[in-house]
Amino acid sequence: MYSIQQLQNIIIEAIDARKYPDEPAELYEPMQYMMNLGGKRLRPALLLMGCDAFGGDIYQAINPAIAIEVFHNFTLMHDDIMDNAPLRRGKTTVHEKWNSSVGILSGDAMLVEGYKLMMQVNENVLRPVLEIFNDTAIAVCEGQQIDMNFEQQPDVKINAYINMIRLKTAVVLGGALKIGALIAGARKQDADLIYAFGEDLGIAFQLQDDILDVYGDPEKFGKQVGGDIISNKKTYLLIKALETANKEQLKELNYWLQLEDFDALKKVSAVRNLFDQLEIREKSEQEMNWYAQKALQSLKDLPLDEVRKNALFEFADMLLVREN
Amino acid sequence: MYSIQQLQNIIIEAIDARKYPDEPAELYEPMQYMMNLGGKRLRPALLLMGCDAFGGDIYQAINPAIAIEVFHNFTLMHDDIMDNAPLRRGKTTVHEKWNSSVGILSGDAMLVEGYKLMMQVNENVLRPVLEIFNDTAIAVCEGQQIDMNFEQQPDVKINAYINMIRLKTAVVLGGALKIGALIAGARKQDADLIYAFGEDLGIAFQLQDDILDVYGDPEKFGKQVGGDIISNKKTYLLIKALETANKEQLKELNYWLQLEDFDALKKVSAVRNLFDQLEIREKSEQEMNWYAQKALQSLKDLPLDEVRKNALFEFADMLLVREN
């Protein structure tokens, strides 16, 4: 059994060792650039963890694990163009460093590269592994589109929001674990259980991210605290507040949402104050804990020795108590 | 054995019958829109032809054939964004009708959809079929990037140009035929021969397109005659002219290439006049014929009954005597 740290180190080394072709440089340099920006490599580590939990040889899962990270970075490259984002992990985004065409095309090639790597599995699991990969990829596209639609939509409902983060974020965690499990030879029902663990954990993780954006420790939280409030991002917190506010509170909330010229600190403070009145933090934490418990229940139901599940329990702990 | 016309009708019907999911509409409507813009469906028809030539059941190749067309339309959707093109087959392009983000994301989903469809083959050919699909997809990305690079590159060489059109256009024709052949159970060496036929035919086809842009019958040629000359597009003709012109001719050619304000008809006429002096049409037709002959030789070498190859010979004839 490997620890999370060991698996992360193995995957980081494997990713660092990869070299893309030289030509055409505008196609492959952005891939290399993107893959070398770093990050915690949680998704590929999860894939290896899924394999390890079922007693598989994690070195048979290395290329599929890299595939998940390549796929994740393809989505980031294209999302950055759509969001017009100047920075990614503190570095210039691909479309800014090169141009949008390079970002589109290099991203396309990364998606294909993801398939090439994902296919490096034994014959007997090739089809099921690729089916999960296909489903994951389509779900992420759907989630991204729904997220963009939310920007124009005044009446987003909690259920629609949960479904969006499930598609955009959580399915990749579930998919990574399930692929790892299948490579190790897990039975279908067990692979489904580890998938459910990953998906529910992913939803809890995104809800925590929403909470930390407002209530996180500025020193530990990587991003600007209150960033979602400043940009009117439809997070779980804002949707819940809009749903539960009384007439007067709704009026004040809408006042801040519609204001075009504002002092950022004042807006963050006023909206947070409204959230406090409505006990939004507690409600959000309740929802997050519900998904976390659901995730842990799937893990408990998994018919594996406790020692085999340890890394997964630790991973859930690590993911959900982080303050950054 | 099916005629080309029959195969085209079968694939047109199959594509027309496909319905994409309703939601999110911004993801799936552009797919449906793009797939319903029409076109001759040559690539999927080729895939079916490859299957039919080797005695396969073409109905087992229908979904992979649709996959090739979905893939082709994904590349068009993204290319149109990169080229900032307002029209595609006379209709508004996706990024104009919706926006660039929709064009990027819907295109991404189409690539995934292509994989889903391509996987609908028997277990014993799943891996080889997907390997060809991967190689084709990466080649098309490389070709598109090299083509974009050519715009900024003053000294493009003939070999580099041929390689670009091979990657961007020809490999899809070869790949479609080879996938069809493998589905029919063709031996590897035969599948390679039919691939070579398709790739060389594709190069000849693109060279013909370059020639028709300058020398085509305006009534039959679908696009504006001289369009490549007006936009300084580095075609086989222009590259050959730059390579073979004497000092004086080169000076005149560069004069027209650098002129920013010009009368389009005058420029087309002047450059065509230079091409005539340099016998560019004849040289281009020689090159085209060389690839066409090479393609036909591969077809002749294929150890199949003549009747099995008929549709493929007819296809080559149809493709290379077209005036539109």
Side-chain angles (χ1 to χ4, degrees), chain B residues 79-206:
Chain B
D79 284 4
D80 284 343
I81 304 172
M82 298 182 224
D83 298 343
N84 210 8
L87 295 176
R88 164 67 58 191
R89 303 191 207 280
K91 297 276 172 66
T92 313
T93 44
V94 165
H95 64 103
E96 284 283 328
K97 193 175 158 80
W98 285 271
N99 56 56
S100 293
S101 295
V102 162
I104 294 172
L105 197 58
S106 189
D108 292 346
M110 283 184 98
L111 178 51
V112 177
E113 178 72 13
Y115 276 98
K116 284 175 79 167
L117 287 160
M118 195 55 89
M119 282 177 58
Q120 295 179 30
V121 292
N122 282 336
E123 246 31 60
N124 60 324
V125 292
L126 179 60
R127 184 182 294 277
V129 162
L130 288 178
E131 280 172 350
I132 300 165
F133 193 48
N134 285 337
D135 291 346
T136 303
I138 282 286
V140 171
C141 290
E142 290 186 352
Q144 167 69 2
Q145 185 60 55
I146 294 171
D147 195 20
M148 291 195 295
N149 290 351
F150 281 176
E151 290 172 28
Q152 320 298 331
Q153 215 170 299
D155 60 338
V156 178
K157 296 278 177 272
I158 286 289
N159 281 350
Y161 179 76
I162 296 286
N163 188 46
M164 184 278 285
I165 62 177
R166 186 181 66 80
L167 293 168
K168 186 171 171 174
T169 305
V171 293
V172 183
L173 275 60
L177 282 165
K178 188 170 178 180
I179 288 171
L182 290 179
I183 291 171
R187 297 177 308 169
K188 193 185 167 306
Q189 62 265 46
D190 296 343
D192 287 341
L193 271 175
I194 205 165
Y195 176 89
F197 162 70
E199 190 179 282
D200 288 326
L201 189 69
I203 293 172
F205 176 67
Q206 184 58 53

Side-chain angles (χ1 to χ4, degrees), chain B residues 275-313:
Chain B
F275 284 178
D276 289 345
Q277 286 175 33
L278 294 162
E279 299 182 328
I280 294 300
R281 180 178 188 164
E282 293 72 13
K283 287 170 187 160
S284 303
E285 284 175 347
Q286 261 173 29
E287 186 91 356
M288 178 187 96
N289 287 330
W290 191 80
Y291 280 102
Q293 287 311 314
K294 204 160 159 263
L296 294 176
Q297 190 56 52
S298 297
L299 199 47
K300 283 178 196 145
D301 292 347
L302 212 53
L304 290 176
D305 287 348
E306 288 309 305
V307 61
R308 295 234 151 257
K309 301 182 198 173
N310 266 349
L312 294 165
F313 277 115

